[in-house]
Amino acid sequence: MSTGKEPQPPRDRVLGDDPNPPVSAMRRISIEELNTPEARVGSVRGPGKRTAGANQGTAAGAAKRRAPAETGQVGVSATGKPVVPARANPVALSKLSRLLQSDAPPTQAFSIVDRLVGSPYANPKVNTSAHDASARKTLEFALDLAETMFRYGAGALEVETSIIASTAALGLSNVDVDITNQSINLNYSPPDTVPYALLRVVRSWTNNYAGLALVHQLVSDIVGGGVTRQQSVDRLRGITRNPKPFPRWIVAGAGGGFAALFVLFIGGSWQGALIAFASSLLVAQIAKYGGRWHVPEFFSTAASSFVVTALAILFYALDVPISPAIVVSGGILLLLPSARFVSAVQDAINGFPVTAAGRLFSATLVYASILSGIMAALVLSELLGAPAVNVLGIDKISYPGWILVLLVVCAVILGAITEQSAHKLLLPTGAVALLGYLIMLGAQALGAGDRLAPAVAATFIGMAARWVALRMGAPQLVIAVPAIVFLLPGLMIFRAMYGIGLNPEDMTGGMIDMFNAFLIILAIAGGVVFGDTIARPFTRGHGSNERKNIRRR
């Protein structure tokens, strides 16, 4: 039963001895007592009792008197006045806080526009005056833009930076972009407004580097602030509806010319060049009807490599002075998915692992289809009694150096035509390829070897392609991919498949050659991406999309 009085602490117990004293046992301290000089100096003791150390004046007693001030406790002096510990040095506290404080806290929001640093669209003009009522139309335009770039062969990083830059310039500065293999997801959540989430899946591809360059220029103009959304929509519609720069028959002839020139470049005869030209024309027809009949790419590519190999073996059996290995190497070179390998390596390095895995798997399937077509033709030729091919001792014709230079430049230009590159980019592409060829010769002279030299040349091609492309208002890919075709190991691929299919005792060597060829292709793709990365700091002011007077608002 309560008596209305609070319990009192025992008389013989000091308040400081109890770690959790009741509130009623604690004496009220006034402001005047805290401001007295006696309260800021002296020892800390409980009322009515002196410690043994204080009575004797020993060092232990002095330590006990200093202990509460060091630990931040508030006690009372011998006279009952409160003792406040000395304050820490404010300068030391300030320096310590600066040392422990992070420049960028991990929970701080990341501005999506900062993703553009290092890209051709860095420092865009952010339009904050646009009304959110048109946000959905802007997002739909961004999806159309991304789909067009993907269809024309752009990498995931280029698509992402283009979306971020264009939407920021059109008034949406915080659009989240998620690119996963073939799907593009945009999310925009303005404050106090209904959020938007749009998805687009890309299901078709086509060769149109000229269109990709026009899209690049469109994004550059949007970032510059001189194009409205409706004007951007109209220009993008015009790009997608415009015909490609070269008709189909010119593309087919350019593919045949490339095969013929490459056969001569690697030491083939003029008869072999003519056979490679004819087989490439047949390959163009297979691709035409395969697309019309919706045949999967795997089977159409396998049929193309089968035709190239079968024709080479047939004319070799008819005693035509050719080397089947060289003819097949020239015929299958344009079939190799070099652009996909470059894009896959680029996406993997730039932080798009799922997209990179999808593209790499797709490119590997095309690579496997080429191998299966070659093997099928070789096995069938052996069953029909065709003569064996000596893939180890290939007789090559040595041409003068100036002829080889012309062959490389002309072959690369024809290869760029097959990719539907713009007319103004043909000669620059040939010049970049010539630089890469000279670098490769220099690397081989220094002892780099046939496997490392192509990767070194691809690195310089990637650097030069970025520098030239940005000056001409185009992305790096449209110049770099056609310029590296002559580096691909087509002859090694044929040797590997011949050893696996027709030479069982040397199957291990064939597997090693096939694996080495695959690694060389990946090294070339990695060299292009590495060269592009190296050239970024030196090309910040060269792109037509960068305006010195633009500032981020």
Side-chain angles (χ1 to χ4, degrees):
M1 183 174 179
S2 175
T3 61
K5 296 182 179 181
E6 296 181 357
Q8 301 294 327
R11 295 285 184 180
D12 58 345
R13 185 177 180 183
V14 181
L15 294 178
D17 297 338
D18 188 1
N20 298 307
V23 176
S24 60
M26 301 178 65
R27 189 172 65 84
R28 185 181 299 275
I29 301 174
S30 63
I31 300 299
E32 290 77 7
E33 292 177 332
L34 290 175
N35 293 330
T36 59
E38 184 183 0
R40 299 187 179 276
V41 296
S43 61
V44 178
R45 305 181 311 178
K49 282 195 176 184
R50 293 180 178 269
T51 61
N55 293 330
Q56 299 174 4
T58 60
K64 286 186 177 182
R65 288 192 298 270
R66 290 194 302 267
E70 294 175 355
T71 57
Q73 298 178 359
V74 178
V76 292
S77 64
T79 60
K81 300 294 184 179
V83 177
V84 180
R87 296 180 61 184
N89 190 338
V91 178
L93 284 178
S94 176
K95 292 183 177 181
L96 181 61
S97 62
R98 289 181 182 180
L99 180 64
L100 299 179
Q101 185 178 7
S102 173
D103 294 335
T107 56
Q108 185 178 5
F110 176 75
S111 178
I112 195 65
V113 181
D114 292 339
R115 179 69 170 166
L116 303 177
V117 175
S119 71
Y121 312 117
N123 194 25
K125 181 179 181 180
V126 180
N127 185 8
T128 58
S129 61
H131 199 270
D132 286 338
S134 61
R136 183 176 179 86
K137 294 182 179 179
T138 303
L139 293 176
E140 291 176 351
F141 164 73
L143 283 179
D144 294 337
L145 180 72
E147 181 183 9
T148 303
M149 296 182 70
F150 258 129
R151 290 186 67 244
Y152 292 167
L157 179 63
E158 184 179 358
V159 175
E160 183 192 55
T161 54
S162 299
I163 294 176
I164 295 173
S166 58
T167 53
L170 295 176
L172 309 181
S173 58
N174 293 311
V175 177
D176 292 327
V177 185
D178 181 21
I179 299 176
T180 305
N181 199 11
Q182 297 175 264
S183 62
I184 307 164
N185 189 8
L186 302 183
N187 183 30
Y188 178 61
S189 301
D192 301 329
T193 311
V194 178
Y196 297 93
L198 282 74
L199 176 67
R200 184 72 57 83
V201 179
V202 183
R203 294 185 174 89
S204 62
W205 290 267
T206 183
N207 294 333
N208 193 355
Y209 280 175
L212 184 59
L214 292 176
V215 173
H216 178 89
Q217 188 62 47
L218 171 61
V219 177
S220 301
D221 294 339
I222 295 174
V223 172
V227 182
T228 63
R229 189 191 68 247
Q230 188 58 44
Q231 291 174 343
S232 303
V233 172
D234 295 338
R235 285 182 57 178
L236 182 62
R237 186 183 299 113
I239 292 172
T240 56
R241 293 181 179 179
N242 284 339
K244 295 180 180 180
F246 300 100
R248 191 185 298 272
W249 65 271
I250 291 183
V251 173
F258 172 85
L261 294 178
F262 190 79
V263 167
L264 297 175
F265 172 72
I266 59 179
S269 61
W270 65 269
Q271 294 93 339
L274 291 178
I275 295 173
F277 180 85
S279 63
S280 294
L281 295 181
L282 292 177
V283 167
Q285 295 302 312
I286 292 174
K288 173 184 175 181
Y289 287 101
R292 182 178 299 178
W293 297 338
H294 300 286
V295 177
E297 185 183 17
F298 180 90
F299 299 109
S300 62
T301 305
S304 299
S305 61
F306 176 86
V307 168
V308 171
T309 307
L311 283 179
I313 298 297
L314 175 62
F315 282 98
Y316 179 72
L318 297 176
D319 294 332
V320 177
I322 63 171
S323 173
I326 294 179
V327 174
V328 173
S329 300
I332 68 172
L333 212 57
L334 287 180
L335 298 176
L336 293 173
S338 54
R340 295 187 195 180
F341 278 114
V342 172
S343 298
V345 174
Q346 187 178 38
D347 293 342
I349 293 175
N350 293 325
F352 299 90
V354 178
T355 305
R359 291 193 173 187
L360 184 61
F361 184 74
S362 175
T364 305
L365 278 181
V366 176
Y367 182 76
S369 67
I370 295 173
L371 300 181
S372 62
I374 294 175
M375 181 176 289
L378 291 175
V379 173
L380 182 61
S381 64
E382 185 184 26
L383 294 177
L384 295 177
V389 179
N390 184 11
V391 295
L392 299 178
I394 299 176
D395 295 330
K396 295 183 179 180
I397 301 176
S398 298
Y399 295 99
W402 65 271
I403 293 182
L404 294 178
V405 168
L406 290 178
L407 290 175
V408 168
V409 174
C410 294
V412 168
I413 291 176
L414 293 177
I417 292 176
T418 62
E419 299 289 350
Q420 295 289 353
S421 185
H423 297 84
K424 65 177 183 179
L425 298 177
L426 296 180
L427 289 179
T429 303
V432 171
L434 176 59
L435 173 65
Y437 175 67
L438 297 178
I439 294 295
M440 185 181 68
L441 293 180
Q444 290 176 347
L446 295 176
D450 295 334
R451 290 171 175 80
L452 181 59
V456 175
T459 302
F460 283 90
I461 288 177
M463 295 173 58
R466 180 179 178 88
W467 188 82
V468 174
L470 291 183
R471 280 184 171 271
M472 304 194 69
Q476 183 249 14
L477 189 72
V478 301
I479 292 182
V481 171
I484 64 171
V485 176
F486 75 96
L487 299 173
L488 300 176
L491 188 59
M492 185 179 294
I493 294 174
F494 180 81
R495 285 175 176 172
M497 295 314 301
Y498 190 87
I500 294 173
L502 300 182
N503 196 3
E505 61 273 8
D506 193 28
M507 183 174 294
T508 303
M511 294 293 294
I512 294 175
D513 286 342
M514 185 177 65
F515 183 72
N516 286 335
F518 186 74
L519 289 183
I520 290 175
I521 294 175
L522 289 180
I524 293 172
V528 172
V529 178
F530 183 57
D532 178 75
T533 304
I534 294 176
R536 286 181 183 180
F538 305 101
T539 56
R540 290 179 179 175
H542 294 335
S544 62
N545 50 356
E546 293 194 325
R547 312 291 193 268
K548 294 183 178 180
N549 297 326
I550 291 178
R551 60 183 178 88
R552 188 176 301 167
R553 294 188 296 174

